[in-house]
Each structure stands twice: as structure tokens, then as C-alpha cells.
Coordinates of all heavy atoms in Angstrom, one line a residue:
M1159 N 0.8 -1.2 0.0 CA 0.0 0.0 0.0 C 0.9 1.3 0.0 O 0.5 2.2 -0.6 CB -0.9 0.0 1.2 CG -1.9 1.1 1.2 SD -3.1 0.9 -0.1 CE -4.1 2.3 0.2
R1160 N 2.0 1.2 0.7 CA 2.9 2.3 0.8 C 3.5 2.7 -0.6 O 3.6 3.9 -0.9 CB 4.0 2.1 1.8 CG 4.9 3.2 2.0 CD 5.9 2.9 3.1 NE 6.8 4.0 3.4 CZ 6.7 4.8 4.4 NH1 5.7 4.5 5.3 NH2 7.5 5.8 4.6
K1161 N 3.8 1.7 -1.4 CA 4.4 1.9 -2.7 C 3.3 2.6 -3.6 O 3.7 3.5 -4.3 CB 4.8 0.6 -3.4 CG 6.1 0.1 -2.9 CD 6.6 -1.1 -3.7 CE 7.9 -1.6 -3.2 NZ 8.4 -2.7 -4.0
V1162 N 2.1 2.2 -3.5 CA 1.0 2.8 -4.3 C 0.9 4.3 -3.9 O 0.7 5.1 -4.8 CB -0.3 2.0 -4.1 CG1 -1.4 2.7 -4.8 CG2 -0.1 0.6 -4.7
Q1163 N 0.9 4.6 -2.7 CA 0.8 6.0 -2.2 C 2.0 6.8 -2.7 O 1.8 7.9 -3.1 CB 0.7 6.0 -0.7 CG -0.6 5.5 -0.1 CD -0.5 5.4 1.4 OE1 0.5 5.4 2.0 NE2 -1.7 5.4 2.0
N1164 N 3.2 6.2 -2.7 CA 4.4 6.9 -3.2 C 4.3 7.2 -4.7 O 4.6 8.3 -5.1 CB 5.6 6.2 -2.8 CG 6.0 6.2 -1.4 OD1 5.6 7.1 -0.7 ND2 6.7 5.2 -0.9
V1165 N 3.8 6.2 -5.4 CA 3.7 6.4 -6.9 C 2.6 7.4 -7.2 O 2.8 8.2 -8.1 CB 3.5 5.0 -7.5 CG1 3.2 5.2 -9.0 CG2 4.6 4.1 -7.3
F1166 N 1.6 7.4 -6.5 CA 0.5 8.3 -6.7 C 0.9 9.7 -6.4 O 0.6 10.7 -7.0 CB -0.8 7.9 -5.9 CG -2.0 8.7 -6.3 CD1 -2.6 8.5 -7.5 CD2 -2.5 9.7 -5.4 CE1 -3.7 9.2 -7.9 CE2 -3.6 10.4 -5.8 CZ -4.2 10.2 -7.0
A1167 N 1.8 9.9 -5.3 CA 2.3 11.2 -5.0 C 3.2 11.7 -6.1 O 3.2 12.9 -6.5 CB 3.1 11.1 -3.7
F1168 N 4.0 10.8 -6.8 CA 4.8 11.2 -7.9 C 3.9 11.6 -9.1 O 4.1 12.7 -9.7 CB 5.7 10.0 -8.4 CG 6.5 10.4 -9.6 CD1 7.7 11.0 -9.4 CD2 6.1 10.0 -10.8 CE1 8.5 11.3 -10.6 CE2 6.9 10.2 -11.9 CZ 8.1 10.9 -11.8
F1169 N 2.8 10.9 -9.3 CA 1.9 11.2 -10.4 C 1.3 12.6 -10.1 O 1.2 13.5 -11.1 CB 0.8 10.2 -10.5 CG -0.4 10.7 -11.3 CD1 -0.4 10.9 -12.6 CD2 -1.6 10.9 -10.6 CE1 -1.5 11.3 -13.3 CE2 -2.7 11.3 -11.3 CZ -2.7 11.5 -12.7
K1170 N 0.8 12.9 -8.9 CA 0.2 14.2 -8.6 C 1.2 15.3 -8.8 O 0.8 16.4 -9.2 CB -0.3 14.2 -7.2 CG -1.5 13.4 -7.0 CD -2.1 13.6 -5.6 CE -1.2 13.4 -4.5 NZ -1.8 13.4 -3.1
S1171 N 2.5 15.1 -8.6 CA 3.5 16.1 -8.8 C 3.7 16.5 -10.2 O 4.1 17.6 -10.6 CB 4.8 15.8 -8.1 OG 5.4 14.7 -8.8
T1172 N 3.5 15.5 -11.1 CA 3.6 15.8 -12.5 C 2.3 16.3 -13.2 O 2.3 16.9 -14.2 CB 4.0 14.5 -13.3 OG1 3.1 13.5 -13.2 CG2 5.4 14.0 -12.8
L1173 N 1.2 16.1 -12.5 CA -0.1 16.4 -13.1 C -0.3 17.9 -13.3 O -0.8 18.4 -14.3 CB -1.2 15.9 -12.2 CG -2.6 16.0 -12.7 CD1 -2.8 15.2 -14.0 CD2 -3.6 15.4 -11.7
A1174 N 0.1 18.7 -12.3 CA -0.1 20.2 -12.4 C 0.6 20.8 -13.6 O 0.1 21.6 -14.3 CB 0.3 20.8 -11.1
I1175 N 1.9 20.4 -13.8 CA 2.6 20.9 -15.0 C 2.0 20.4 -16.3 O 1.9 21.2 -17.2 CB 4.1 20.4 -14.9 CG1 4.7 20.9 -13.6 CG2 4.9 20.8 -16.1 CD1 6.0 20.3 -13.3
N1176 N 1.6 19.2 -16.3 CA 1.0 18.6 -17.5 C -0.3 19.3 -17.9 O -0.6 19.7 -19.0 CB 0.7 17.1 -17.3 CG 0.5 16.4 -18.6 OD1 0.4 16.9 -19.7 ND2 0.5 15.1 -18.5
I1177 N -1.2 19.6 -16.9 CA -2.4 20.3 -17.2 C -2.1 21.7 -17.6 O -2.8 22.3 -18.5 CB -3.3 20.3 -15.9 CG1 -3.9 18.9 -15.7 CG2 -4.5 21.3 -16.1 CD1 -4.7 18.7 -14.5
A1178 N -1.1 22.4 -17.0 CA -0.8 23.8 -17.3 C -0.3 23.9 -18.8 O -0.7 24.8 -19.5 CB 0.3 24.3 -16.4
I1179 N 0.4 22.9 -19.2 CA 0.9 22.9 -20.6 C -0.3 22.6 -21.6 O -0.4 23.1 -22.7 CB 2.0 21.9 -20.8 CG1 3.2 22.4 -20.0 CG2 2.3 21.6 -22.2 CD1 4.3 21.4 -19.9
S1180 N -1.2 21.7 -21.2 CA -2.2 21.2 -22.1 C -3.5 22.1 -22.1 O -4.3 21.9 -23.0 CB -2.6 19.8 -21.6 OG -1.5 18.9 -21.6
I1181 N -3.6 23.0 -21.2 CA -4.9 23.8 -21.2 C -5.0 24.8 -22.3 O -6.1 25.0 -22.8 CB -5.0 24.5 -19.8 CG1 -6.5 24.9 -19.5 CG2 -4.1 25.7 -19.7 CD1 -7.3 23.8 -19.2
F1182 N -3.9 25.3 -22.8 CA -3.9 26.2 -23.9 C -4.4 25.6 -25.2 O -5.3 26.1 -25.8 CB -2.5 26.9 -24.1 CG -2.5 27.9 -25.1 CD1 -3.1 29.1 -24.9 CD2 -1.7 27.8 -26.3 CE1 -3.1 30.1 -25.9 CE2 -1.7 28.7 -27.2 CZ -2.4 29.9 -27.0
P1183 N -3.9 24.4 -25.5 CA -4.5 23.7 -26.7 C -5.9 23.3 -26.6 O -6.7 23.3 -27.6 CB -3.6 22.4 -26.9 CG -2.3 22.8 -26.2 CD -2.7 23.7 -25.1
F1184 N -6.4 23.2 -25.3 CA -7.8 22.9 -25.1 C -8.7 24.0 -25.6 O -9.7 23.8 -26.2 CB -8.0 22.6 -23.6 CG -9.5 22.3 -23.3 CD1 -10.1 21.2 -23.7 CD2 -10.2 23.3 -22.6 CE1 -11.4 20.9 -23.4 CE2 -11.5 23.0 -22.2 CZ -12.2 21.9 -22.6
F1185 N -8.3 25.2 -25.3 CA -9.0 26.4 -25.7 C -8.9 26.7 -27.2 O -9.8 27.2 -27.8 CB -8.6 27.6 -24.9 CG -9.0 27.5 -23.4 CD1 -8.1 27.7 -22.4 CD2 -10.3 27.3 -23.0 CE1 -8.4 27.6 -21.1 CE2 -10.7 27.2 -21.7 CZ -9.7 27.3 -20.7
L1186 N -7.8 26.3 -27.8 CA -7.6 26.6 -29.2 C -8.2 25.5 -30.1 O -8.7 25.7 -31.1 CB -6.1 26.8 -29.5 CG -5.5 28.1 -29.0 CD1 -4.1 28.2 -29.3 CD2 -6.3 29.3 -29.4
G1187 N -7.9 24.2 -29.7 CA -8.2 23.1 -30.6 C -9.3 22.2 -30.0 O -9.7 21.2 -30.7
G1188 N -9.8 22.4 -28.8 CA -10.9 21.6 -28.3 C -10.3 20.4 -27.5 O -9.2 20.3 -27.2
L1189 N -11.2 19.5 -27.3 CA -11.0 18.3 -26.4 C -9.9 17.4 -27.0 O -9.0 16.9 -26.3 CB -12.3 17.5 -26.2 CG -12.2 16.4 -25.2 CD1 -11.7 16.8 -23.9 CD2 -13.5 15.7 -25.1
S1190 N -10.0 17.1 -28.3 CA -9.0 16.2 -28.9 C -7.6 16.8 -28.9 O -6.6 16.0 -28.6 CB -9.4 15.9 -30.4 OG -9.4 17.1 -31.1
A1191 N -7.4 18.1 -29.0 CA -6.1 18.7 -28.9 C -5.6 18.6 -27.5 O -4.4 18.3 -27.2 CB -6.2 20.2 -29.3
F1192 N -6.5 18.8 -26.5 CA -6.1 18.7 -25.1 C -5.6 17.3 -24.8 O -4.5 17.1 -24.2 CB -7.3 19.0 -24.2 CG -7.0 18.7 -22.7 CD1 -6.2 19.6 -22.0 CD2 -7.4 17.5 -22.1 CE1 -6.0 19.3 -20.6 CE2 -7.2 17.3 -20.8 CZ -6.4 18.2 -20.0
V1193 N -6.4 16.3 -25.2 CA -6.0 14.9 -24.9 C -4.7 14.5 -25.6 O -3.8 13.9 -24.9 CB -7.1 13.9 -25.3 CG1 -6.7 12.5 -25.2 CG2 -8.3 14.2 -24.4
S1194 N -4.5 14.9 -26.8 CA -3.3 14.5 -27.5 C -2.1 15.2 -26.9 O -1.0 14.6 -26.7 CB -3.4 14.8 -29.0 OG -3.6 16.2 -29.2
I1195 N -2.2 16.5 -26.6 CA -1.0 17.2 -25.9 C -0.8 16.7 -24.5 O 0.3 16.5 -24.1 CB -1.3 18.7 -25.9 CG1 -1.3 19.3 -27.3 CG2 -0.2 19.4 -25.1 CD1 0.0 19.1 -28.1
F1196 N -1.9 16.4 -23.8 CA -1.8 15.9 -22.4 C -1.1 14.6 -22.4 O -0.2 14.3 -21.5 CB -3.2 15.8 -21.9 CG -3.2 15.4 -20.4 CD1 -3.0 16.3 -19.4 CD2 -3.6 14.1 -20.1 CE1 -3.0 15.9 -18.1 CE2 -3.6 13.7 -18.7 CZ -3.3 14.6 -17.7
L1197 N -1.3 13.7 -23.3 CA -0.7 12.3 -23.3 C 0.6 12.3 -23.9 O 1.3 11.3 -23.8 CB -1.7 11.3 -24.0 CG -3.0 11.1 -23.2 CD1 -3.8 10.1 -24.1 CD2 -2.7 10.5 -21.9
T1198 N 1.0 13.3 -24.7 CA 2.4 13.2 -25.3 C 3.3 14.4 -24.8 O 4.1 14.1 -23.9 CB 2.2 13.3 -26.8 OG1 1.5 14.5 -27.2 CG2 1.5 12.1 -27.4
F1199 N 3.1 15.5 -25.4 CA 4.1 16.6 -25.1 C 4.0 17.1 -23.7 O 5.0 17.3 -23.0 CB 3.8 17.8 -26.1 CG 4.7 19.0 -25.9 CD1 6.0 18.9 -26.3 CD2 4.3 20.1 -25.3 CE1 6.9 19.9 -26.2 CE2 5.1 21.2 -25.2 CZ 6.4 21.1 -25.6
G1200 N 2.8 17.2 -23.1 CA 2.7 17.6 -21.7 C 3.3 16.7 -20.8 O 4.0 17.1 -19.8
F1201 N 3.1 15.4 -21.0 CA 3.7 14.3 -20.1 C 5.2 14.4 -20.2 O 5.9 14.3 -19.2 CB 3.2 13.0 -20.5 CG 3.7 11.9 -19.7 CD1 3.3 11.8 -18.3 CD2 4.5 10.9 -20.2 CE1 3.8 10.7 -17.6 CE2 5.0 9.9 -19.4 CZ 4.6 9.8 -18.1
I1202 N 5.8 14.5 -21.4 CA 7.2 14.5 -21.6 C 7.8 15.7 -20.9 O 8.8 15.6 -20.2 CB 7.6 14.4 -23.1 CG1 7.2 13.0 -23.6 CG2 9.1 14.7 -23.3 CD1 7.3 12.9 -25.1
V1203 N 7.2 16.9 -21.1 CA 7.7 18.1 -20.5 C 7.6 18.0 -19.0 O 8.6 18.4 -18.3 CB 6.9 19.3 -21.0 CG1 7.3 20.6 -20.2 CG2 7.3 19.6 -22.5
S1204 N 6.5 17.5 -18.4 CA 6.4 17.4 -17.0 C 7.5 16.5 -16.4 O 8.1 16.7 -15.3 CB 5.0 17.0 -16.6 OG 4.8 15.7 -17.0
L1205 N 7.8 15.4 -17.1 CA 8.8 14.5 -16.6 C 10.2 15.1 -16.8 O 11.1 15.0 -15.9 CB 8.8 13.1 -17.4 CG 7.7 12.2 -17.0 CD1 7.8 10.9 -17.9 CD2 7.7 11.8 -15.6
S1206 N 10.4 15.9 -17.8 CA 11.7 16.6 -18.0 C 11.9 17.6 -16.9 O 13.0 17.7 -16.4 CB 11.7 17.2 -19.4 OG 11.6 16.3 -20.4
I1207 N 10.9 18.4 -16.6 CA 11.0 19.4 -15.6 C 11.3 18.7 -14.2 O 12.1 19.1 -13.4 CB 9.8 20.2 -15.5 CG1 9.7 21.2 -16.7 CG2 9.7 21.1 -14.2 CD1 8.4 21.9 -16.9
K1208 N 10.6 17.6 -14.0 CA 10.8 16.8 -12.7 C 12.3 16.3 -12.7 O 12.9 16.3 -11.7 CB 9.8 15.7 -12.7 CG 9.8 14.9 -11.4 CD 8.7 15.4 -10.6 CE 8.6 14.4 -9.4 NZ 8.2 15.2 -8.2
E1209 N 12.8 15.8 -13.9 CA 14.1 15.3 -14.0 C 15.2 16.4 -13.7 O 16.2 16.1 -13.1 CB 14.3 14.7 -15.4 CG 15.6 14.0 -15.6 CD 15.7 12.6 -14.8 OE1 14.7 12.0 -14.6 OE2 16.9 12.2 -14.6
I1210 N 14.9 17.6 -14.3 CA 15.9 18.6 -14.1 C 15.9 19.2 -12.7 O 17.0 19.4 -12.1 CB 15.7 19.7 -15.2 CG1 16.0 19.1 -16.6 CG2 16.6 20.9 -15.0 CD1 15.5 20.0 -17.7
Y1211 N 14.8 19.6 -12.2 CA 14.7 20.4 -11.0 C 14.5 19.5 -9.7 O 14.9 20.0 -8.7 CB 13.6 21.4 -11.1 CG 13.8 22.4 -12.1 CD1 13.1 22.5 -13.3 CD2 14.8 23.4 -11.9 CE1 13.3 23.5 -14.3 CE2 15.1 24.4 -12.9 CZ 14.3 24.4 -14.0 OH 14.6 25.3 -15.0
N1212 N 14.0 18.3 -9.8 CA 13.8 17.5 -8.6 C 14.5 16.2 -8.7 O 13.9 15.2 -8.3 CB 12.3 17.3 -8.4 CG 11.6 18.6 -8.1 OD1 12.1 19.5 -7.6 ND2 10.3 18.7 -8.6
K1213 N 15.7 16.2 -9.3 CA 16.3 14.9 -9.5 C 16.6 14.2 -8.1 O 16.6 12.9 -8.1 CB 17.7 15.1 -10.2 CG 18.2 13.9 -10.9 CD 19.4 14.3 -11.8 CE 19.6 13.2 -12.7 NZ 20.5 13.6 -13.8
S1214 N 16.8 14.9 -7.1 CA 17.1 14.3 -5.8 C 15.9 13.6 -5.2 O 16.1 12.7 -4.4 CB 17.6 15.3 -4.8 OG 16.6 16.3 -4.6
N1215 N 14.7 13.9 -5.7 CA 13.5 13.2 -5.2 C 13.5 11.7 -5.6 O 12.8 10.9 -4.9 CB 12.3 13.9 -5.6 CG 12.0 15.2 -4.9 OD1 12.8 15.5 -4.0 ND2 11.1 16.0 -5.4
Y1216 N 14.2 11.4 -6.7 CA 14.2 10.0 -7.1 C 14.8 9.1 -6.1 O 14.5 7.9 -6.0 CB 14.9 9.9 -8.5 CG 14.0 10.4 -9.6 CD1 14.4 11.4 -10.4 CD2 12.8 9.7 -10.0 CE1 13.6 11.9 -11.4 CE2 12.1 10.1 -11.0 CZ 12.5 11.2 -11.8 OH 11.7 11.7 -12.8
I1217 N 15.7 9.6 -5.3 CA 16.4 8.8 -4.3 C 15.3 8.3 -3.3 O 15.4 7.1 -2.8 CB 17.5 9.6 -3.6 CG1 18.6 9.9 -4.6 CG2 18.1 8.9 -2.4 CD1 19.6 10.9 -4.1
F1218 N 14.4 9.2 -2.9 CA 13.3 8.8 -2.0 C 12.5 7.6 -2.6 O 12.3 6.6 -1.9 CB 12.4 9.9 -1.7 CG 11.1 9.6 -1.1 CD1 11.1 9.3 0.3 CD2 9.9 9.5 -1.8 CE1 9.9 8.9 0.9 CE2 8.7 9.1 -1.2 CZ 8.7 8.8 0.2
Y1219 N 12.2 7.7 -3.8 CA 11.4 6.6 -4.5 C 12.2 5.3 -4.6 O 11.7 4.2 -4.4 CB 10.9 7.1 -5.8 CG 9.9 8.2 -5.7 CD1 10.2 9.5 -6.2 CD2 8.6 8.0 -5.1 CE1 9.3 10.5 -6.0 CE2 7.8 9.1 -5.0 CZ 8.1 10.3 -5.5 OH 7.2 11.4 -5.3
F1220 N 13.5 5.5 -5.0 CA 14.4 4.3 -5.1 C 14.5 3.6 -3.7 O 14.5 2.4 -3.7 CB 15.7 4.8 -5.6 CG 16.7 3.6 -5.9 CD1 16.5 2.7 -6.9 CD2 17.8 3.4 -5.0 CE1 17.3 1.6 -7.1 CE2 18.6 2.3 -5.2 CZ 18.4 1.5 -6.2
N1221 N 14.7 4.4 -2.7 CA 14.8 3.8 -1.3 C 13.5 3.0 -0.9 O 13.5 2.2 -0.1 CB 15.1 4.8 -0.3 CG 16.6 5.3 -0.4 OD1 17.4 4.6 -0.9 ND2 16.9 6.5 0.1
N1222 N 12.4 3.4 -1.5 CA 11.1 2.7 -1.3 C 10.9 1.6 -2.3 O 9.8 1.1 -2.3 CB 10.0 3.7 -1.3 CG 9.9 4.5 0.0 OD1 9.9 4.0 1.1 ND2 10.0 5.8 -0.2
G1223 N 11.9 1.2 -3.1 CA 11.8 0.1 -4.0 C 11.1 0.4 -5.3 O 10.6 -0.5 -5.9
L1224 N 11.1 1.7 -5.7 CA 10.5 2.1 -7.0 C 11.6 2.6 -7.9 O 12.3 3.5 -7.5 CB 9.4 3.1 -6.7 CG 8.3 2.7 -5.9 CD1 7.5 3.9 -5.4 CD2 7.4 1.8 -6.7
S1225 N 11.6 2.1 -9.1 CA 12.5 2.6 -10.1 C 11.9 3.8 -10.9 O 10.7 4.0 -10.9 CB 12.9 1.5 -11.1 OG 11.8 1.2 -11.9
K1226 N 12.7 4.5 -11.7 CA 12.2 5.6 -12.5 C 11.2 5.0 -13.5 O 10.1 5.6 -13.8 CB 13.3 6.3 -13.3 CG 14.0 7.3 -12.5 CD 15.0 8.0 -13.5 CE 15.9 8.9 -12.7 NZ 16.9 9.6 -13.6
L1227 N 11.5 3.9 -14.1 CA 10.6 3.3 -15.1 C 9.2 3.0 -14.5 O 8.2 3.3 -15.2 CB 11.2 2.0 -15.7 CG 10.5 1.3 -16.8 CD1 10.3 2.3 -18.0 CD2 11.1 0.0 -17.2
Q1228 N 9.2 2.4 -13.3 CA 7.9 2.2 -12.7 C 7.1 3.4 -12.4 O 5.9 3.5 -12.7 CB 8.2 1.4 -11.3 CG 8.6 0.0 -11.5 CD 9.0 -0.6 -10.1 OE1 9.5 0.1 -9.3 NE2 8.7 -1.9 -10.0
L1229 N 7.8 4.5 -12.0 CA 7.2 5.8 -11.7 C 6.6 6.3 -13.0 O 5.5 6.8 -13.1 CB 8.1 6.8 -11.1 CG 8.6 6.4 -9.7 CD1 9.8 7.3 -9.3 CD2 7.5 6.5 -8.7
W1230 N 7.4 6.3 -14.1 CA 7.0 6.9 -15.4 C 5.8 6.1 -16.0 O 4.9 6.7 -16.5 CB 8.1 6.9 -16.3 CG 9.2 7.9 -16.0 CD1 9.2 8.8 -14.9 CD2 10.5 8.0 -16.6 NE1 10.4 9.5 -14.9 CE2 11.2 9.0 -15.9 CE3 11.1 7.4 -17.6 CZ2 12.5 9.4 -16.2 CZ3 12.4 7.7 -17.9 CH2 13.1 8.8 -17.3
L1231 N 5.9 4.8 -15.9 CA 4.8 4.0 -16.5 C 3.5 4.1 -15.8 O 2.4 4.3 -16.4 CB 5.2 2.5 -16.6 CG 6.3 2.1 -17.6 CD1 6.7 0.6 -17.4 CD2 5.9 2.4 -19.0
F1232 N 3.6 4.2 -14.4 CA 2.4 4.4 -13.7 C 1.8 5.7 -13.9 O 0.6 5.9 -14.0 CB 2.7 4.2 -12.2 CG 1.5 4.4 -11.3 CD1 0.5 3.4 -11.1 CD2 1.2 5.6 -10.7 CE1 -0.6 3.5 -10.3 CE2 0.1 5.8 -9.9 CZ -0.8 4.8 -9.7
S1233 N 2.7 6.7 -14.0 CA 2.2 8.1 -14.3 C 1.5 8.2 -15.6 O 0.5 8.8 -15.8 CB 3.3 9.1 -14.2 OG 3.8 9.2 -12.9
Y1234 N 2.1 7.5 -16.6 CA 1.5 7.6 -18.0 C 0.1 6.8 -17.9 O -0.9 7.3 -18.5 CB 2.4 6.9 -19.0 CG 1.8 7.2 -20.4 CD1 2.0 8.4 -21.0 CD2 1.1 6.2 -21.1 CE1 1.5 8.7 -22.2 CE2 0.6 6.5 -22.4 CZ 0.8 7.7 -22.9 OH 0.3 8.0 -24.1
F1235 N 0.1 5.7 -17.2 CA -1.2 5.0 -17.1 C -2.2 5.8 -16.4 O -3.4 5.9 -16.9 CB -0.9 3.7 -16.3 CG -2.2 2.9 -16.0 CD1 -2.8 2.2 -17.0 CD2 -2.7 2.8 -14.7 CE1 -4.0 1.5 -16.7 CE2 -3.8 2.1 -14.4 CZ -4.5 1.4 -15.4
M1236 N -1.9 6.5 -15.4 CA -2.8 7.4 -14.7 C -3.2 8.6 -15.6 O -4.3 9.1 -15.5 CB -2.2 7.9 -13.4 CG -2.1 6.8 -12.3 SD -3.7 6.0 -11.9 CE -4.5 7.4 -11.2
N1237 N -2.3 9.1 -16.4 CA -2.6 10.1 -17.3 C -3.7 9.7 -18.3 O -4.6 10.4 -18.7 CB -1.4 10.6 -18.1 CG -0.6 11.7 -17.3 OD1 -1.1 12.3 -16.4 ND2 0.7 11.8 -17.6
V1238 N -3.6 8.5 -18.8 CA -4.5 7.9 -19.7 C -5.9 7.8 -19.0 O -6.9 8.2 -19.6 CB -4.1 6.5 -20.3 CG1 -5.2 5.8 -21.0 CG2 -2.9 6.7 -21.1
I1239 N -5.9 7.4 -17.8 CA -7.2 7.3 -17.1 C -7.8 8.7 -16.8 O -9.0 8.9 -17.0 CB -7.0 6.5 -15.7 CG1 -6.7 5.1 -16.0 CG2 -8.2 6.7 -14.8 CD1 -6.3 4.3 -14.8
F1240 N -6.9 9.6 -16.4 CA -7.4 11.0 -16.2 C -7.9 11.6 -17.5 O -9.0 12.2 -17.5 CB -6.2 11.9 -15.7 CG -6.6 13.3 -15.5 CD1 -7.1 13.6 -14.2 CD2 -6.4 14.3 -16.4 CE1 -7.4 15.0 -14.0 CE2 -6.7 15.6 -16.2 CZ -7.3 15.9 -14.9
A1241 N -7.3 11.4 -18.6 CA -7.7 11.9 -19.9 C -9.1 11.3 -20.3 O -10.0 12.0 -20.8 CB -6.7 11.6 -21.0
L1242 N -9.2 10.0 -20.1 CA -10.5 9.3 -20.4 C -11.6 9.9 -19.5 O -12.7 10.1 -20.0 CB -10.4 7.8 -20.2 CG -9.6 7.1 -21.2 CD1 -9.4 5.6 -20.8 CD2 -10.2 7.2 -22.6
V1243 N -11.4 10.0 -18.2 CA -12.4 10.6 -17.3 C -12.7 12.0 -17.7 O -13.9 12.4 -17.8 CB -12.0 10.4 -15.8 CG1 -12.9 11.2 -14.9 CG2 -11.9 9.0 -15.5
F1244 N -11.7 12.8 -17.9 CA -12.0 14.2 -18.3 C -12.7 14.3 -19.6 O -13.7 15.1 -19.7 CB -10.6 14.9 -18.4 CG -10.7 16.4 -18.7 CD1 -11.1 17.3 -17.8 CD2 -10.5 16.9 -20.0 CE1 -11.3 18.7 -18.1 CE2 -10.6 18.2 -20.3 CZ -11.0 19.1 -19.3
S1245 N -12.4 13.5 -20.6 CA -13.1 13.5 -21.9 C -14.5 13.1 -21.7 O -15.4 13.7 -22.3 CB -12.4 12.6 -22.9 OG -11.1 13.0 -23.1
S1246 N -14.7 12.1 -20.9 CA -16.1 11.6 -20.7 C -17.0 12.7 -20.0 O -18.1 12.9 -20.4 CB -16.1 10.4 -19.8 OG -15.4 9.3 -20.4
I1247 N -16.4 13.4 -19.0 CA -17.1 14.4 -18.3 C -17.5 15.6 -19.3 O -18.6 16.0 -19.3 CB -16.3 15.0 -17.1 CG1 -16.3 13.9 -16.0 CG2 -16.9 16.3 -16.6 CD1 -15.3 14.2 -14.9
I1248 N -16.5 16.0 -20.1 CA -16.8 17.1 -21.1 C -17.8 16.6 -22.1 O -18.7 17.4 -22.4 CB -15.4 17.5 -21.8 CG1 -14.5 18.1 -20.8 CG2 -15.7 18.5 -22.9 CD1 -14.9 19.3 -20.1
I1249 N -17.7 15.4 -22.6 CA -18.7 15.0 -23.6 C -20.1 14.9 -22.9 O -21.1 15.3 -23.5 CB -18.3 13.6 -24.2 CG1 -17.1 13.8 -25.1 CG2 -19.4 12.9 -25.0 CD1 -16.4 12.5 -25.5
F1250 N -20.2 14.4 -21.7 CA -21.4 14.3 -21.0 C -22.0 15.7 -20.8 O -23.2 15.9 -21.0 CB -21.2 13.6 -19.7 CG -22.5 13.4 -18.9 CD1 -23.5 12.6 -19.3 CD2 -22.7 14.2 -17.7 CE1 -24.6 12.4 -18.5 CE2 -23.8 14.0 -16.9 CZ -24.8 13.2 -17.4
L1251 N -21.2 16.6 -20.4 CA -21.7 18.0 -20.2 C -22.2 18.6 -21.5 O -23.1 19.4 -21.5 CB -20.6 18.9 -19.6 CG -20.3 18.6 -18.1 CD1 -19.1 19.4 -17.6 CD2 -21.5 18.8 -17.2
K1252 N -21.5 18.3 -22.6 CA -22.0 18.8 -23.9 C -23.3 18.3 -24.3 O -24.2 18.9 -24.9 CB -21.0 18.5 -25.0 CG -19.8 19.5 -25.0 CD -18.8 19.1 -26.1 CE -17.6 20.1 -26.1 NZ -16.7 19.8 -27.2
L1253 N -23.5 17.0 -23.9 CA -24.8 16.3 -24.2 C -25.9 16.9 -23.4 O -27.1 17.0 -23.8 CB -24.7 14.8 -24.0 CG -23.9 14.1 -25.0 CD1 -23.8 12.6 -24.6 CD2 -24.5 14.2 -26.4
L1254 N -25.6 17.3 -22.1 CA -26.6 17.8 -21.2 C -27.1 19.3 -21.7 O -28.2 19.6 -21.6 CB -26.1 17.9 -19.8 CG -26.2 16.6 -19.0 CD1 -25.6 16.8 -17.6 CD2 -27.6 16.1 -18.9
F1255 N -26.1 20.0 -22.1 CA -26.4 21.4 -22.4 C -26.2 21.6 -23.8 O -26.1 22.3 -24.6 CB -25.4 22.4 -21.6 CG -25.5 22.2 -20.1 CD1 -24.5 21.5 -19.4 CD2 -26.7 22.6 -19.4 CE1 -24.6 21.3 -18.0 CE2 -26.8 22.4 -18.0 CZ -25.7 21.8 -17.4

């Protein structure tokens, strides 16, 4: 359970940067632009920023038995789930109104 909490904390730390990068294409290109940027460019940039500025945080995760690859894969998996849920909510709201 502790590993899951640690990996989720890593995901949350990359989420804010990813959303900040992906929100501009959402307003210009709509939902599909948001999802495509969110799952590709935004994710890569958020990991790059984390890699450059918070490199020492990886030691904490490594000491808890988590590799960078595990953190990145879980974060991408959670990004896919987040994008699906966000897309579903937006589509549902469009159908209601």
C-alpha cells in the first residue's frame, strides 16, 4: 500500500505541470487537442522538468523500492485514465447542455 501511495504522489506532482501545458491547446483546438497534448508533449515536459529540477527526489522513491521506469509507466497509465475521465465528463456536459 505504501508503494502505491508513493507512486500516486509522484503522479500528482507531474499532473499540475501537464495540465498547465495542455490547457492552452484545449481552448484553441478543443478536447482532442487537449488529450493529444496531455498524453504526449505535456507528459514528456512534466517528466523533463521533474528530472531537471527535482532529481534528488528520485532517491526517495528508489529507497522505497521504486524505479524511474515504474514511476513513469504508472504516471502515464494514470494520465490515460485522467484523460478518459476528463473527456467523458466534457462529452457528458456537452450532451446535457
Side-chain angles (χ1 to χ4, degrees):
M1159 186 66 178
R1160 185 178 181 101
K1161 281 188 180 183
V1162 173
Q1163 291 173 340
N1164 289 333
V1165 174
F1166 192 69
F1168 178 82
F1169 163 70
K1170 288 190 306 185
S1171 70
T1172 61
L1173 186 62
I1175 298 167
N1176 198 351
I1177 289 175
I1179 292 168
S1180 304
I1181 201 75
F1182 186 65
F1184 177 70
F1185 292 123
L1186 292 179
L1189 184 61
S1190 61
F1192 172 80
V1193 171
S1194 61
I1195 296 297
F1196 184 77
L1197 292 177
T1198 55
F1199 183 72
F1201 181 67
I1202 291 169
V1203 169
S1204 66
L1205 286 181
S1206 299
I1207 290 172
K1208 187 101 170 143
E1209 185 72 26
I1210 292 169
Y1211 293 109
N1212 297 328
K1213 199 171 201 168
S1214 61
N1215 288 352
Y1216 285 115
I1217 295 171
F1218 168 76
Y1219 297 111
F1220 182 71
N1221 286 337
N1222 285 305
L1224 297 165
S1225 68
K1226 279 186 188 180
L1227 182 62
Q1228 288 173 323
L1229 293 169
W1230 293 351
L1231 289 175
F1232 180 82
S1233 292
Y1234 190 76
F1235 176 71
M1236 290 301 294
N1237 276 337
V1238 169
I1239 291 173
F1240 181 85
L1242 288 173
V1243 169
F1244 182 76
S1245 299
S1246 299
I1247 290 170
I1248 296 297
I1249 291 170
F1250 180 71
L1251 290 175
K1252 282 183 179 181
L1253 289 175
L1254 279 178
F1255 302 107

